[in-house]
Amino acid sequence: MGLVVQKYGGSSVADAESVKRVAKRIVETKQAGNDVVVVVSAMGDTTDDLIDLAKEVSPIPPARELDMLLTAGERISMAVLAMAIANLGHEARSFTGSQAGVITDAEHGKARIIDVTPGRISTALADGAIAIVAGFQGVSQSTKDITTLGRGGSDTTAVALAAALNAEVCEIYTDVDGVFSADPRIVPAARRLPNISYEEMLEMAASGAKVLHLRCVEYARRFGLPIHVRSSFSHREGTWVVNREGNDMEDPIIAGVAHDRSEAKVTVVGVPDKPGQAAAIFSTVAGAGINIDMIVQNVSGASTGRTDISFTAPRSDGAKAVQALETIKDQIGFEALRYDDQIGKISLVGAGMRSHPGVSAKLFACLAEAGVNIEMISTSEIRISVVVREDDVNTAVAAAHTAFDLDAADGEAVVYGGTGR
Amino acid sequence: MGLVVQKYGGSSVADAESVKRVAKRIVETKQAGNDVVVVVSAMGDTTDDLIDLAKEVSPIPPARELDMLLTAGERISMAVLAMAIANLGHEARSFTGSQAGVITDAEHGKARIIDVTPGRISTALADGAIAIVAGFQGVSQSTKDITTLGRGGSDTTAVALAAALNAEVCEIYTDVDGVFSADPRIVPAARRLPNISYEEMLEMAASGAKVLHLRCVEYARRFGLPIHVRSSFSHREGTWVVNREGNDMEDPIIAGVAHDRSEAKVTVVGVPDKPGQAAAIFSTVAGAGINIDMIVQNVSGASTGRTDISFTAPRSDGAKAVQALETIKDQIGFEALRYDDQIGKISLVGAGMRSHPGVSAKLFACLAEAGVNIEMISTSEIRISVVVREDDVNTAVAAAHTAFDLDAADGEAVVYGGTGR
């Protein structure tokens, strides 16, 4: 057998009982003859509780100290998990991100991994021990300060360690059975995907599928590392995220339908139609630290010499975007700002799109038939996204899922374990 | 001004409000022109909560992992304290024991400091920042694993750092106003001692005074580092623990009266009076890992050829001691074991004893007058300890305190802030 890296999220180690269950699973993997490295997140709500504590003493805690504080969370979970494994008669050694050699830049709160030097992990494995590593954290190469990797950080830790240790697979344990063709809460006929390509998974993640983070998928793709997304509550196979060379004719054209309700739309109304205006608008928004997703510029009204520019961005940044744009209203000379947070986005993702023309047309037709109005459109080589009213999201997802023959056949078991996270 | 090391215990940083209060105090010290290094314990009951969590997954958690777990406690308090200081407009940087250069042996749970290399602390101070250091923890020189220092560990961290940084003073903040001539809960007329010598403080600590741990006083004495024990709830002067050369004639003969209710007495009855028996008994007890305090051997009864040997040890080890001795009953041939946990010890401590004969006689007389029976006696150069019935402890302490003129004069303010810890 080989080396398996397993990652367990906070919901898999929410309390002592869950920790014991996960410990049992880890020991089974070890007893099957594998070397095992486990990456673990903080238990349950620990991170939120620590953030609340920080807020009690400081409205804007310094980022270095917030990282120091939050990394206590995984320190607790990894030590407790190591104890639970020891209690089953196997040696386990826990390591902080720093001890595991997760070297990052110095961007506290969203550090990027720049090197992984897992010498102590290799030694632990050579000694026959199971290595437990704190997810989400590392140490800055330049300042030697403790850093956190930000959103999806533990998945990234797991993939980075798996790549550095040349693992056979990185198993990401979650509370669902894998990646689905759509959110089963919206589409009961959604199917678990037995496998999906890195590219498709990237587009799904970017389009709102929350089971894996963009960043960890990017990392795995770069190293060609297989990810196995599966449930910590069952022993069923999950979804393999792998390199798929070429298109198998048997593969479905569309892998899945993702949706996203976390964005809002900002419309800059009556922008004078002259060069440099769009640049001024988007450099202002970017300067405020806001990530823009889709952009649509209306055809300029010939009679008015003015145009409307709309874009979508995270709702949590909506107020900041409007505020930033207000400051350049006079400079640009636009007429008004409109803010709309009642939108939703649905995205069709599939590598088969490359070789199958007409996917867009079919999507638009099925949405029209379902009475769903399309407000914005954006495409990549293997994705089509449309913005619709938030109230229409469920209808749109279900209609597209059916139109592209993704619905499970009658009697095909759809297993769904949890919250869609 | 110079460099001040301050140590705040768990009760001084029990919650967010306490942390803010302590932060204010630290900033005042900084603003007075000092460089400030702060050593902090885990907040309130954090350590106990973590131990409970460990027990939930493993009855006997591996010591390495328990240390990893418990050190999360100071990590939280130091980061939160640094945030609270930042919120007052001063830069603070927190450091783990490992980052602060606290190098220990590999004895998890009771590691000893073997070196302190506080390079990062010096850098922080040179940058004008306040340095916050996690107490109670270090890193093993041989294994690079995280260790904890055991009981009184944070005090020891503070003194060790103060010595390594050549600080002017190590301020130990607690919830009482300093070291008292007796426990004010027992003796309302007890006085705060403005100063006490290392030797006296060592004897007081060994005799049950809980305000400072033996280990940190030993460390301070070795480096001649002044300790200032004071309350974090007031700005009053506390007690200075210092080198006192020679005896000032004005100094009282006796510094204080300590008491201890944590011990039990074991009597080995009818030990055959021949060489080697005491050695066998005490090597057995020591082999069980039990620290013995006082030992008394009765004069052998000439007619029986047998003698009784009594000793005191922590009550928490009582059962273990009896168990260990039972195993050698036949080998030694003693008649019976008696176990008595209803005892108490009172100790008179004072460097003046050296030059003032008659202290013992005066103590015994005053106890007799108070109707207190003495069961065991032990002395050092500057201490006399007697074991009495536990019910007689308060009476004995008060009687000795009065007899040696330690009671505060009428109208002399006795300030006592807390629980006698």
Side-chain angles (χ1 to χ4, degrees), chain B residues 57-377:
Chain B
V57 299
S58 173
I60 309 163
R64 176 192 190 276
E65 300 304 326
L66 192 58
D67 279 359
M68 187 66 98
L69 178 68
L70 296 185
T71 49
E74 294 84 39
R75 192 180 194 86
I76 293 170
S77 57
M78 72 178 188
V80 173
L81 182 55
M83 291 173 188
I85 291 171
N87 200 40
L88 298 175
H90 284 259
E91 195 197 347
R93 294 184 204 160
S94 67
F95 298 94
T96 63
S98 171
Q99 291 176 331
V102 179
I103 315 292
T104 72
D105 60 22
E107 284 291 315
H108 288 289
K110 50 178 179 183
R112 301 204 62 92
I113 296 175
I114 53 183
D115 197 8
V116 181
T117 55
R120 294 191 67 179
I121 307 299
S122 300
T123 304
L125 295 178
D127 291 349
I130 294 164
I132 315 289
V133 178
F136 178 67
Q137 56 177 254
V139 61
S140 151
Q141 189 169 50
S142 54
T143 64
K144 309 296 175 208
D145 287 330
I146 302 303
T147 54
T148 65
L149 309 180
R151 235 174 133 242
S154 290
D155 289 3
T156 308
T157 301
V159 169
L161 267 174
L165 291 163
N166 209 8
E168 286 192 348
V169 58
C170 180
E171 297 182 338
I172 305 277
Y173 284 89
T174 178
D175 49 10
V176 293
D177 263 334
V179 182
F180 280 71
S181 57
D183 185 336
R185 284 170 303 182
I186 294 182
V187 183
R191 290 174 303 112
R192 177 184 60 76
L193 305 178
N195 56 67
I196 186 170
S197 71
Y198 295 118
E199 290 72 20
E200 288 169 328
M201 193 64 235
L202 284 173
E203 292 283 6
M204 290 286 277
S207 303
K210 295 194 180 65
V211 67
L212 279 183
H213 284 275
L214 208 55
R215 196 169 160 192
C216 99
V217 182
E218 275 170 356
Y219 210 109
R221 176 173 63 165
R222 197 180 325 144
F223 291 92
L225 179 84
I227 298 179
H228 188 184
V229 184
R230 56 196 304 197
S231 169
S232 66
F233 297 89
S234 83
H235 279 79
R236 281 184 286 270
E237 279 277 298
T239 298
W240 287 82
V241 186
V242 290
N243 231 335
R244 271 208 320 228
E245 294 295 333
N247 286 335
D248 190 328
M249 291 305 287
E250 299 294 316
D251 281 345
I253 299 168
I254 301 301
V257 186
H259 70 277
D260 189 348
R261 295 174 204 267
S262 71
E263 298 191 338
K265 181 171 72 169
V266 177
T267 305
V268 189
V269 180
V271 181
D273 194 9
K274 55 184 183 189
Q277 299 294 61
I281 287 171
F282 291 110
S283 67
T284 299
V285 175
I290 296 161
N291 282 321
I292 289 168
D293 181 19
M294 291 164 68
I295 299 175
V296 170
Q297 177 167 355
N298 290 353
V299 176
S300 177
S303 56
T304 62
R306 287 176 181 270
T307 185
D308 295 348
I309 296 178
S310 297
F311 62 89
T312 62
R315 279 180 203 175
S316 51
D317 287 339
K320 215 161 50 168
V322 170
Q323 213 166 15
L325 289 170
E326 287 289 1
T327 65
I328 55 163
K329 186 172 181 185
D330 293 343
Q331 178 200 328
I332 301 278
F334 62 78
E335 289 163 359
L337 283 175
R338 277 192 216 123
Y339 181 70
D340 180 357
D341 62 1
Q342 303 290 304
I343 62 161
K345 184 174 74 170
I346 84 152
S347 301
L348 221 55
V349 174
M353 263 183 224
R354 286 195 189 103
S355 48
H356 287 75
V359 170
S360 304
K362 188 169 173 182
L363 172 65
F364 302 157
C366 90
L367 293 181
E369 199 172 315
V372 174
N373 191 42
I374 298 172
E375 304 189 7
M376 294 171 86
I377 300 169

Side-chain angles (χ1 to χ4, degrees), chain A residues 224-247:
Chain A
L225 179 84
I227 297 179
H228 188 184
V229 184
R230 56 196 305 197
S231 168
S232 66
F233 296 90
S234 82
H235 279 79
R236 282 184 284 270
E237 280 279 297
T239 298
W240 286 82
V241 186
V242 289
N243 230 337
R244 271 209 319 229
E245 293 296 332
N247 286 336

Side-chain angles (χ1 to χ4, degrees), chain A residues 152-172:
Chain A
S154 290
D155 290 3
T156 308
T157 302
V159 169
L161 267 175
L165 291 164
N166 209 8
E168 287 192 346
V169 58
C170 179
E171 297 183 336
I172 306 276

Side-chain angles (χ1 to χ4, degrees), chain A residues 32-241:
Chain A
N34 300 289
D35 282 340
V36 187
V37 175
V38 176
V39 173
V40 68
S41 302
M43 294 171 74
D45 301 325
T46 309
T47 304
D48 289 341
D49 293 346
L50 290 173
I51 290 173
D52 289 347
L53 177 60
K55 292 271 163 70
E56 278 187 70
V57 299
S58 172
I60 309 164
R64 177 192 189 278
E65 299 305 325
L66 192 57
D67 279 359
M68 187 66 98
L69 179 67
L70 295 185
T71 50
E74 294 83 38
R75 192 181 195 85
I76 292 170
S77 57
M78 72 178 188
V80 172
L81 181 55
M83 291 173 189
I85 292 171
N87 200 39
L88 298 175
H90 285 258
E91 196 198 345
R93 294 184 204 159
S94 67
F95 298 94
T96 64
S98 171
Q99 291 176 332
V102 180
I103 314 292
T104 72
D105 61 22
E107 283 293 314
H108 287 289
K110 50 179 177 181
R112 301 203 62 92
I113 296 176
I114 53 184
D115 197 8
V116 181
T117 54
R120 295 190 67 179
I121 307 300
S122 300
T123 304
L125 296 176
D127 291 349
I130 293 164
I132 314 290
V133 179
F136 177 67
Q137 56 177 252
V139 61
S140 150
Q141 189 169 51
S142 55
T143 64
K144 308 297 175 209
D145 286 330
I146 301 304
T147 54
T148 65
L149 309 180
R151 236 175 133 242
S154 290
D155 290 3
T156 308
T157 302
V159 169
L161 267 175
L165 291 164
N166 209 8
E168 287 192 346
V169 58
C170 179
E171 297 183 336
I172 306 276
Y173 284 89
T174 177
D175 49 9
V176 294
D177 264 334
V179 182
F180 280 71
S181 57
D183 186 337
R185 284 171 303 184
I186 294 182
V187 183
R191 291 173 303 112
R192 177 184 59 78
L193 306 178
N195 56 68
I196 187 170
S197 72
Y198 294 119
E199 290 71 20
E200 288 170 327
M201 193 66 236
L202 284 172
E203 292 284 6
M204 291 285 277
S207 303
K210 294 192 180 67
V211 66
L212 279 183
H213 285 275
L214 207 55
R215 196 169 160 193
C216 100
V217 182
E218 276 170 356
Y219 210 109
R221 175 172 63 164
R222 198 180 323 145
F223 291 91
L225 179 84
I227 297 179
H228 188 184
V229 184
R230 56 196 305 197
S231 168
S232 66
F233 296 90
S234 82
H235 279 79
R236 282 184 284 270
E237 280 279 297
T239 298
W240 286 82
V241 186

Side-chain angles (χ1 to χ4, degrees), chain A residues 264-333:
Chain A
K265 182 170 71 170
V266 177
T267 305
V268 189
V269 180
V271 180
D273 194 8
K274 55 184 184 189
Q277 299 295 62
I281 287 171
F282 291 108
S283 67
T284 299
V285 176
I290 296 162
N291 282 321
I292 288 167
D293 181 19
M294 291 164 68
I295 298 176
V296 170
Q297 177 166 354
N298 289 353
V299 176
S300 178
S303 56
T304 62
R306 288 178 179 268
T307 185
D308 294 348
I309 296 178
S310 297
F311 63 89
T312 61
R315 279 180 204 175
S316 51
D317 287 338
K320 212 159 55 166
V322 170
Q323 212 167 17
L325 288 171
E326 287 290 1
T327 64
I328 57 163
K329 186 172 183 185
D330 292 343
Q331 176 200 330
I332 302 279

